[in-house]
């Protein structure tokens, strides 16, 4: 946080300003730095340290494993067996109770309902405070203005600053990130506790300011954070996540990942559900927004959790005496017997189509603002320096314009978002031209009535001003969503059309007997659903609207308008979330439409990376070490030999790191010493011991668990007076440190290994350690403890090797052949052949949520395709103009643009090429045959 | 239909009685028959004929292709080019208009709305007629009884007989079949026009009888039929289905199949949507009931079509003056301000849990009845003989019990299903014990009031009687669903609980000021949703209920009850549809739960079929011919050679058939004759023609299209006085026919080929042909037309080969090496390695909707896994008791039963085995290493 770390932070700020921008640059940076250092001689030590990101995984898994399995194994014989059996039993019982999905979902629902209610409560207090201040200063307009403006500026600035400092990932909606995560891409930093705190507090402040921002998107993120943290927390109770008995199989990983994804999907539903008290709409909206393929198996989780959450959320309101019983959030009271006339449907259709254009415009405007701010170098540099200036300026502008005695009087400026929505959904008609009696505006509705100005003008001004204000406000780097502002604008637009209709047909359209006047509130409902549906490209806003208003009588108009709005908006612009994904450059795999025939030309061989990192079955540890220093994929290919390149399976990086650490670890060295001593002894007395084989085996087992215990209990076993690694990574000038070779022989637990592990704990664990132990003490305390341990563990062996001896021993160890016996090997990694089409690859990747797949030719590994290459290939062949994430309704747009002839020949060319290449002995088809097709 | 074909029909009847039973036995039977015949000497001729089922595919595709592309190619040179370009342009335009999804969806929605409305209208008339008869005969109870009973018996018997005769596939609900079809298994016979007619008329009659049957399941099927027929119809206009420019790539197949599946999924939504005027609920219900993985991309299709359909369906009601405007089907008028008290929630939860048990019981009872009837050999044989006796008996029993002056007076027997539901959802309370004034039963509600008996008794009797009646009635072999009866029973149960609550708390539970009496109608809504949710294992019945009643105020009680009901029902029994899938033995792939760890032991190598049908790159046509006669998979593997077995790709069976037909076809023979003549000529005059190469090429192209034209225009080119093949197949004694070798040399278009093709058109096409041409005429007409064709096509060449010569020529041709140049080869079929786990295989199969996948080891083809093997493997390891299709909520049931230790060792064993087998040169790990893990 101090010193030269600020550069890095400034960089980060730049990345997260305007939604932030996802980058893998930190890793790249570290890698380059490492390469530079490697060249300058300090080959292993520092470069290894730069592998932090990859090693984090390893250490975590290790610690969690050891924490539980480490203890009993210190005992020996039957007692050990008994205790271990008991432990396993207990664990299993805990798993069967705590690990059950429905308990998890209930907890999640409960937690989120509480969070939602508390946030709502705080927001309400904040808004009341502003009103109170504004109302109390009614003697002086200037003071009133100051109070009106300062309050939101302070809140927004605080929110932006707080989020910036604590977790810049909390900025923005969070739905794009969740979409990416649910796709299978791990964005760890988006699911931490710090992000949770930053998001909740930042959101409360941002919404408390009264700016046109929403809580829906952030709540999706918050719910996911909750789920991620809750599952971490529950795994402490021996949860389902790390069943030690299953650690040998690679399937547990797959299972857990899949379970996590399922839980996150349910969490997204909970987020929407507890935000609007709309369980069904929440489930559907979250599916539409975050998933490409949805497992119906997972359906009930969302419903279960979202229902429970919505229930608790509303029950809290009842308990708090806000409501008499459980009802909808924005309850409407339209008449049931004749909700609308058949002849009003064209008006609803018009709302739908106009909303479609409006939604596309909103997305475009939003992106335009971000791009404009980014492009303007001068502005950008200035804003970067004064980080909180941009939010403050925007807030100032918006709140100035809504100042009720000022321009705000023409656009119902004094109403909060919620109040506006309630008034807009009112079932009375505001403008009754035909009838003499003027409608009396009660309560908040009075805000819409201006003595000089028509209610239509107020509505139009409201729509226009709120439109750009919302588009602008959602670019502020605070946690905020755009759903609710858009929803309100839509409602206002619907109201406008409804009021116009009511003015046009004062007695309703219906001709048979009874007079059924037009209900403008129904139009508002339709408009709200249509515009929010257009912006988010979802149909389920219809359901959300029904659940929000508690009435479903307008189902057909709403559905028609939403579908029309979607059709129009999808053919013009991507959804807001897809737009943000593009702006933030999140690693999301775009959709590949059926229409894009030209894609069929591309084969996997055209996009795959041919330079695959692999290990061979008979490689030595040195190769392993070298391979681990390069590459970025989570797994490494295991091939038979470098000549045959026959793919045998894939191994997780963490597994290899553990192999390497075992080989170079101190216990092995101690064993080596013990064996040396034994051999010495044997040379002395020639009597052979028949139990020695068994004994040494037991010793080796012991030893292995010892190192585990050591590492987990005293996590960073660092002989050096080390600072947390993260700052070290950021600083390019830490070259001199590795030369400080430790002097105490007790601490030399493997030089090469240490270099790998000194970078081990992740940022969080590191800071926890810093909090627990004072930064200066570890050197003093650790040796003493280690001595105790080594007395228990090592028996009579004394580690008396010198540094040179250790280095020599390590070199020797590195030359040994790797023993893969204890390694989880996935025997069947996903394979493609080089002729697999891009289309098929895309389908497989998106359906199975793959990260990478190996490309094989006749069993030989010839390449690897990761999400990155696939994304590039898809995006590369799409036209440049703007975002081109293909929307589902796009068949309205691009059907009939196939270039299929081209493709057919291309395919044949490829096929022929293959034939001539790999099967030269095959008879070459004559030219006439070729043509006769 | 006459003679010994009746045996087959009897067999079919047995299969379809009690839901019917899906079998592939016909194919098996034919195969065995073929084998027997082959042994007795008539090797090629008859056995080829038995390949009907496989060849159907080929011919259809061919005909459709030729119908459009055949004509222009008869011309030559630039004219041909021009016309073909024009045709392609026109086609493209047509495609871009007609082929667009939304036009298709609108047509589908419109059609289904009309069908639904007409069916409803007819049902209403039928029911009115019954009431009228019953009412008119009120002088004599016996006559009344006769009328009351005879009417439904006649209708049901007619429905059962009609369905039996026209299309036995129309029996039952149709949802299980749609689930199977959407899984990717082709059940062609379920999507024919005959089935459509049978289903619609059968359903109308069945529901018109007043039996407790529903229209929802059948409507899902009818909508899918509509979609399938509509897409066939639209492809006549040069639809998107067969773009000739793309015929070279195998992707078009994939694309079309995928599009078809998407359209069928949308159709299912339309089915539910137009049945209940519930678009949202329809989409969700159809997703839950039919899909495993749902492509969100496809979401809008369902919404679009279902909304349009529901809209038209309701508009028709408005136009017919049934309604004043568009409202819900069973509109309720509960109060909005205080729908229910918080303290009533336990009662709702009780309804949910009880409904869960009830739903499971219903499924169990239904299955029990089917199994009982099936097991009782004596009954079964008797019922089989008198096919319509079972429906008649069941109807007689049910209608006797509901006879209003008889037992029916105690169970509101005189109400139709719709009337019962309307009265049950009434917002008034029936039993007001506390208040003096008796509730006056107006209209239909009076049926629930019996002078001697309490309304509670009436309700209980209604529930109990209807429960078993519905379970029994849905086993009648007529088109019928169980959703609506279950829905009504649920509503009655909810009403019962509601009335009890109202009796218990006459002034409501609420204590603060205002009295809010309990609304039993709300309980009925909750009960209906819960019971139907429990039977179908869906949550979306909640949404259907809201859309049906037009009120959403009870959302939380409904959701809670539905979720609880699902939790209970899923842990006890499979859903009704899964139960029927099992009863009917439909080829559906069951779910594999995460809980079943023991499955992880099974690898693909344990379940794959090692005896793979393959063709080699240098095989001759004879091999092709032999391979085509065996096996059942849609595609065949292409390997490099029998020794190397390196998998190069897969070829569709149809492609190979087309290759073979080209090789042995008459045009080629004519060409051969022409060349022979040419050679003769050349021998005469030694002058060489430089253009001959090109000319012969063009000729060959021409010729190829000619045979196409021929076949498509006069589809069954059979020189023999043939009868439709289907009966022939059924008859085991047609051995003598193939010996009738045709005498006219004009007709000898390939003996071997003919044997393949005489079995070509599928049952439908066949019967169409039978309708168009009188069975005796073809021989007379065909030769003349063929002569005309041969004049146009063959130019000056005369087919003067004798039968012996032809046979010789064909033998020669069969020995030639196959030229795969014109063949669509899928270069990257789905491959698994032999160590792929069952779990992964299952995931890939269900996600990608695969039919089969090849198993390779280092690029060598070693086996094939099809859906069948996978299904066996999954079912085999599941306990036997009843159906065990894993429900999603089953984590309530079987968590904590993992056998994971076992698995770990198993994996290691496998891995070691693999190592020792395939990598013998690798160093063997020492025993101590092995143990030290």
């Amino acid at each position: 946080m101090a010193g030269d770390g600020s550069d890095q932070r400034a960089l980060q700020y730049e990345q997260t300003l305007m939604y932030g921008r996802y980058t893998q640059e930190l890793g790249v940076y570290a890698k380059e730095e490492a390469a530079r250092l490697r060249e300058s001689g300090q080959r292993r030590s520092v470069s290894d340290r730069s592998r932090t990101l990859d090693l984090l995984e390893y250490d975590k898994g290790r610690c969690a494993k050891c924490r539980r399995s480490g203890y009993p194994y210190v005992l020996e014989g039957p007692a050990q067996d008994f205790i271990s059996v008991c432990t396993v039993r207990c664990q299993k019982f805990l798993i069967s109770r705590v690990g059950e999905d429905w308990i998890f979902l209930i907890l999640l629902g409960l937690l989120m309902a509480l969070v939602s209610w508390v946030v709502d409560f705080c927001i309400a207090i904040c808004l009341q405070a502003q009103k109170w201040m504004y109302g109390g200063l009614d003697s002086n307009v200037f003071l009133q203005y100051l109070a009106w403006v300062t309050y939101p500026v302070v809140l927004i600035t605080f929110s932006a600053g707080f989020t910036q400092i604590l977790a810049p990932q909390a900025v923005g909606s969070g739905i794009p990130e969740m979409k990416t995560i649910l796709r299978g891409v791990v964005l760890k930093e988006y699911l931490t506790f710090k992000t949770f705190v930053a998001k909740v507090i930042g959101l409360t402040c941002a919404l408390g300011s009264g700016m046109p921002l929403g809580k829906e998107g952030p709540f999706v993120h918050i719910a996911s954070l909750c789920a991620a943290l809750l599952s971490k927390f529950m795994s402490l109770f021996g949860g389902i996540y790390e069943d030690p008995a299953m650690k040998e199989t690679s399937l547990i990983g797959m299972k857990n990942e899949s379970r996590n994804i399922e839980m996150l999907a349910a969490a997204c539903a909970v987020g929407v559900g507890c935000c609007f008290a709309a369980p069904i709409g929440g489930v559907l909206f979250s599916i539409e927004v975050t998933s490409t393929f949805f497992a119906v198996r997972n359906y009930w989780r969302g419903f279960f959790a979202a229902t429970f959450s919505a229930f608790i959320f509303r029950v809290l309101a009842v308990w708090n005496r806000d409501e008499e019983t459980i009802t909808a959030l924005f309850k409407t009271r339209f008449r049931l017997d004749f909700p609308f006339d058949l002849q009003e449907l064209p008006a609803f259709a018009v709302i739908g189509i106009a909303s479609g254009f409006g939604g596309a415009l909103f997305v475009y405007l939003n992106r335009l603002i971000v791009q404009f701010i980014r492009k303007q170098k001068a502005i950008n540099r200035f804003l970067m320096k004064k980080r909180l200036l941009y939010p403050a300026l925007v807030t100032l502008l918006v709140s100035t314009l809504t100042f009720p005695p000022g321009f705000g009087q023409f656009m119902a400026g004094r109403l909060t978002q919620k109040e506006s929505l309630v008034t807009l959904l009112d079932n009375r008609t505001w403008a009754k031209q035909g009838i003499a009696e003027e409608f009396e505006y009660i309560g908040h509705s009075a805000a819409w009535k201006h003595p000089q100005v028509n209610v239509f003008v107020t509505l139009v001004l409201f729509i226009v001003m709120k439109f750009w204000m919302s588009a602008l406000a959602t670019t502020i780097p605070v946690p905020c969503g755009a759903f609710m502002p858009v929803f309100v604008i839509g409602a206002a637009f619907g109201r406008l059309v409804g009021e116009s209709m009511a003015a046009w047909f004062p007695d309703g359209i219906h001709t048979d007997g009874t007079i059924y006047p037009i209900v403008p509130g129904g139009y508002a409902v339709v408009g709200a659903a249509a515009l929010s549906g257009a912006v988010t490209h979802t149909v389920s806003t219809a359901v959300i609207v029904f659940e929000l208003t508690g009435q479903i009588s307008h189902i057909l108009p709403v559905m028609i308008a939403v579908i029309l709005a979607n059709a129009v908006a999808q053919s013009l612009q991507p959804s807001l979330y897809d737009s943000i994904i593009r702006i933030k450059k999140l690693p999301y795999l775009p959709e590949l439409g059926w229409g894009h025939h030209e894609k069929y030309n591309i084969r996997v061989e055209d996009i795959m990376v041919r330079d695959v990192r692999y290990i061979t079955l008979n490689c030595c540890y040195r190769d392993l070490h070298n391979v681990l220093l390069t590459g970025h994929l989570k797994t490494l290919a295991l091939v038979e030999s470098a000549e045959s390149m026959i793919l045998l399976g894939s191994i997780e990086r963490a597994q290899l790191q553990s192999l390497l650490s075992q080989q170079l670890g101190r216990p092995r060295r101690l064993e080596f010493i013990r064996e040396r001593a034994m051999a010495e002894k044997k040379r002395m007395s020639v009597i052979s011991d028949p139990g020695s084989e068994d004994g040494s085996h037991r010793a080796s087992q012991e030893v292995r668990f010892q190192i585990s215990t050591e590492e987990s209990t005293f996590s960073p076993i660092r002989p050096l007076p080390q600072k947390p690694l993260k700052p070290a990574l950021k600083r390019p000038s830490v070259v001199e440190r590795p030369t400080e070779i430790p002097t105490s022989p007790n601490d030399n637990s493997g030089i090469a290994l240490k270099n790998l592990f000194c970078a081990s704990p992740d940022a969080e664990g590191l800071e926890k350690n810093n909090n627990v132990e004072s930064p200066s003490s570890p050197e003093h305390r650790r040796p003493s403890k280690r001595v105790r341990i080594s007395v228990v563990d090592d028996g009579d062996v004394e580690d008396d090797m010198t540094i040179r001896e250790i280095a020599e021993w390590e070199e020797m160890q590195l030359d040994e052949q790797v023993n893969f016996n204890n390694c989880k090997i996935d025997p069947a990694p996903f394979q493609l052949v080089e002729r697999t089409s891009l289309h098929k690859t895309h389908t497989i990747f998106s359906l199975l949520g793959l990260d990478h797949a190996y490309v094989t030719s006749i069993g030989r590994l010839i390449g690897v395709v990761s999400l990155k290459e696939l994304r590039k290939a898809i995006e590369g062949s799409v036209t440049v103009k703007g975002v081109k994430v293909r929307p589902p309704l796009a068949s309205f747009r691009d059907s009939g643009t196939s270039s299929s002839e081209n493709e057919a020949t291309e395919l044949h060319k490829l096929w022929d090429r293959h034939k001539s290449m790999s099967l030269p002995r095959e008879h070459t088809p004559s030219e006439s045959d070729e043509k006769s097709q």
Side-chain angles (χ1 to χ4, degrees), chain A residues 608-620:
Chain A
M608 70 184 180
V609 173
R610 281 168 200 277
D611 177 27
V612 198
R613 304 280 144 206
Y614 62 89
I615 44 174
T616 60
L617 206 50
N618 49 4
C619 68
C620 60

Side-chain angles (χ1 to χ4, degrees), chain A residues 528-804:
Chain A
L531 192 62
S532 49
V535 168
T536 56
H537 285 199
T538 56
V539 189
S540 46
T541 51
V543 184
I544 292 181
V545 152
F546 301 139
E547 291 181 283
L548 269 182
T549 61
Q551 285 204 303
I552 204 171
S553 49
H554 279 77
I555 179 162
L556 274 176
V558 167
M559 289 301 296
I560 290 169
V562 165
I563 287 172
L564 286 175
N566 265 284
V568 173
Q570 294 192 10
S571 58
L572 294 173
Q573 283 284 323
S575 84
L576 184 63
Y577 306 122
D578 287 335
S579 168
I580 295 175
I581 282 179
R582 190 68 171 235
I583 291 173
K584 279 193 166 183
K585 295 194 173 37
L586 288 173
Y588 182 78
L589 188 63
E591 276 292 293
L592 188 66
W594 288 114
H596 296 280
H597 294 304
E598 66 271 24
K599 301 284 168 42
Y600 297 146
N601 284 346
I602 305 175
R603 306 265 144 176
V604 161
E605 59 188 334
D606 305 327
I607 61 168
M608 70 184 180
V609 173
R610 281 168 200 277
D611 177 27
V612 198
R613 304 280 144 206
Y614 62 89
I615 44 174
T616 60
L617 206 50
N618 49 4
C619 68
C620 60
Y621 283 96
R622 191 181 302 285
D623 302 329
L624 218 62
H625 189 258
N626 295 341
V627 163
L628 283 176
L629 293 179
T630 53
H632 63 280
L633 289 175
K634 262 200 303 195
T635 62
L636 281 165
L638 174 67
V639 300
E640 194 193 25
S641 67
E643 297 77 45
S644 75
M645 283 299 280
I646 285 168
L647 184 66
L648 297 178
S650 76
I651 309 183
E652 276 182 33
R653 191 174 276 275
Q655 285 288 318
L656 295 176
Q657 276 149 1
S658 124
L659 272 188
L660 197 59
S661 73
Q662 275 173 31
Q663 182 71 6
L664 297 183
R666 189 161 168 273
R668 244 189 86 92
R669 193 153 50 76
L670 292 180
E671 194 190 356
F672 166 74
I673 297 168
R674 196 185 296 119
E675 267 167 21
R676 198 172 55 178
M678 200 96 84
E680 201 85 359
K681 227 187 269 174
K682 243 186 224 164
R683 226 169 14 124
M684 301 296 187
S685 60
V686 205
I687 307 138
S688 78
D689 180 5
S692 71
E693 166 77 14
D694 187 49
S696 84
H697 156 54
R698 199 167 343 135
S700 89
Q701 197 180 34
E702 252 172 64
V703 163
R704 199 145 59 82
F705 282 106
Q706 279 153 21
I707 192 172
S708 312
T709 325
E710 258 178 25
E711 277 178 18
S712 64
T713 327
F714 314 103
S715 201
I717 312 176
R718 282 186 227 96
L720 309 171
Q722 280 192 343
K723 286 169 195 163
L725 190 93
K726 221 173 163 190
L729 244 180
K730 288 172 196 157
R731 231 168 294 150
S733 54
V734 286
V735 194
E736 68 287 355
R737 198 136 44 79
T739 53
E740 303 170 23
I741 280 175
T743 45
S744 153
N746 226 4
D747 279 321
N748 300 339
S749 56
I751 295 170
L753 181 65
K754 197 162 18 194
N755 290 334
L756 273 168
F757 279 114
C758 62
S760 55
D762 62 339
E764 233 187 310
L766 211 70
E767 282 188 13
K768 229 182 280 161
N769 282 318
N770 284 346
N771 295 340
V772 173
E773 319 172 72
S774 72
S776 58
S777 65
E779 300 101 299
H780 301 293
R781 276 195 290 146
R782 251 191 232 115
S784 69
K785 285 210 179 180
R786 280 187 59 82
V787 166
R788 195 180 59 76
I789 292 284
S790 71
V791 166
V792 173
D793 302 344
D794 307 341
D796 50 346
V797 187
E798 192 130 347
D799 189 355
D800 54 356
M801 284 169 96
T802 63
I803 297 158
R804 176 168 296 279

Side-chain angles (χ1 to χ4, degrees), chain A residues 918-930:
Chain A
S918 66
L919 306 163
R921 71 191 116 152
E922 184 46 36
H923 82 278
T924 323
S926 68
E927 193 59 24
S928 69
D929 278 345
E930 195 69 33

Side-chain angles (χ1 to χ4, degrees), chain A residues 814-862:
Chain A
L814 281 176
D815 284 332
E816 267 186 24
Q817 213 179 32
V818 180
N819 174 6
F820 285 109
N821 275 356
N822 294 343
C823 214
K824 280 193 228 170
I825 298 173
D826 179 4
F830 280 100
Q831 293 179 30
L832 304 168
V833 293
E834 76 261 58
R835 283 153 288 152
T836 310
S837 68
L838 179 63
H839 186 270
K840 210 179 210 174
T841 313
H842 180 269
T843 311
I844 296 173
F845 266 69
S846 26
L847 273 172
L848 304 177
L850 295 187
D851 175 62
H852 65 275
Y854 295 111
V855 184
T856 55
S857 168
I858 325 181
R860 288 178 302 106
L861 178 69
I862 56 166

